[in-house]
């Protein structure tokens, strides 16, 4: 991290002229970053390069402004498992993320967790399954979570309610 910021990539800011507006593009080093519901914040786990140990893993889930400033830790892993692919519900009440090895095989144990935006009330929603449950996304009304799972031997799309029940 030459600039001391684990999210902002030095020199990765570009201005793009579109027909109807100018767009500022800021590159980030993160695992599957997403925008907060306000469209002004970034939610992500900083990029970890295991060979170089930067930053020392596992990386937490962070919230920051789009340019990487104002960074705040939302949730830190209680063990050595990686946290990644965080998304927030549109109403801003819940944060969903993966805990386990990113991009792992279908039989690898990866779980989908839910917490409040400040990291409180954390709950493993897929603790009943030892397969790879990942890439959660939340329905517009916040009542359903769609995700990819290896629970039947190959990756398929599943849905569950916001409490992790009624998996279909």
């Amino acid at each position: 991290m030459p600039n001391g910021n684990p999210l902002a990539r030095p020199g990765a800011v570009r201005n793009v002229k579109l027909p109807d507006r100018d767009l500022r593009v800021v590159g980030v080093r993160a695992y599957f970053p997403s925008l907060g519901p306000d469209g002004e914040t970034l939610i992500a786990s900083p990029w970890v390069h295991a060979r170089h140990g930067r930053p020392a893993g596992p990386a937490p889930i962070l919230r920051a402004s789009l340019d990487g400033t104002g960074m705040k830790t939302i949730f830190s892993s209680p063990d050595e498992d990686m946290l990644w692919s965080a998304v927030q519900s549109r109403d801003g009440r819940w944060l969903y993320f993966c805990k386990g090895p990113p991009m792992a095989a279908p039989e690898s144990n990866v779980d989908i967790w839910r917490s409040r935006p400040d990291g409180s009330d954390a709950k493993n929603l897929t603790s009943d399954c030892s397969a790879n449950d990942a890439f959660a996304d939340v329905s517009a009304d916040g009542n359903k979570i769609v995700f990819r799972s290896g629970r039947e031997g190959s990756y398929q799309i599943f849905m569950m309610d916001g409490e992790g029940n009624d998996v279909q």
Side-chain angles (χ1 to χ4, degrees), residues 79-166:
D79 51 33
E80 291 299 310
D81 281 345
M82 183 86 175
L83 304 175
W84 53 283
S85 189
V87 295
Q88 195 166 1
S89 59
R90 288 186 187 179
D91 64 8
R93 294 180 55 218
W94 294 106
L95 181 70
Y96 299 87
F97 53 92
C98 299
K99 184 175 179 291
M103 308 309 287
E107 65 276 3
S108 298
N109 189 16
V110 179
D111 287 312
I112 297 171
W113 283 63
R114 179 190 74 183
S115 77
R116 295 289 183 187
D118 64 1
S120 63
D121 296 331
K123 177 184 178 185
N124 182 346
L125 298 180
T126 58
S127 61
D128 63 336
C129 178
S130 62
N132 188 332
D133 297 318
F135 298 106
D137 203 1
V138 188
S139 63
D141 64 6
N143 292 324
K144 297 287 183 184
I145 301 159
V146 65
F147 62 101
R148 185 216 60 198
S149 179
R151 60 183 58 216
E152 293 184 0
S154 63
Y155 289 127
Q156 296 180 36
I157 303 299
F158 287 84
M159 189 169 37
M160 63 183 164
D161 68 23
E163 294 293 320
N165 300 315
D166 195 26

Side-chain angles (χ1 to χ4, degrees), residues 8-29:
R9 187 178 181 119
V13 177
R14 302 285 184 265
N15 293 311
V16 178
K17 282 193 143 326
L18 299 176
D20 60 338
R21 66 187 178 279
D22 290 342
L23 183 65
R24 183 172 183 235
V25 179
V26 179
V28 295
R29 290 183 296 225

Side-chain angles (χ1 to χ4, degrees), residues 60-84:
I61 304 268
L62 302 174
R63 176 183 320 261
S65 64
L66 293 180
D67 65 2
T69 60
M71 203 174 336
K72 180 181 178 189
T73 298
I74 299 173
F75 190 85
S76 294
S77 183
D79 51 33
E80 291 299 310
D81 281 345
M82 183 86 175
L83 304 175
W84 53 283

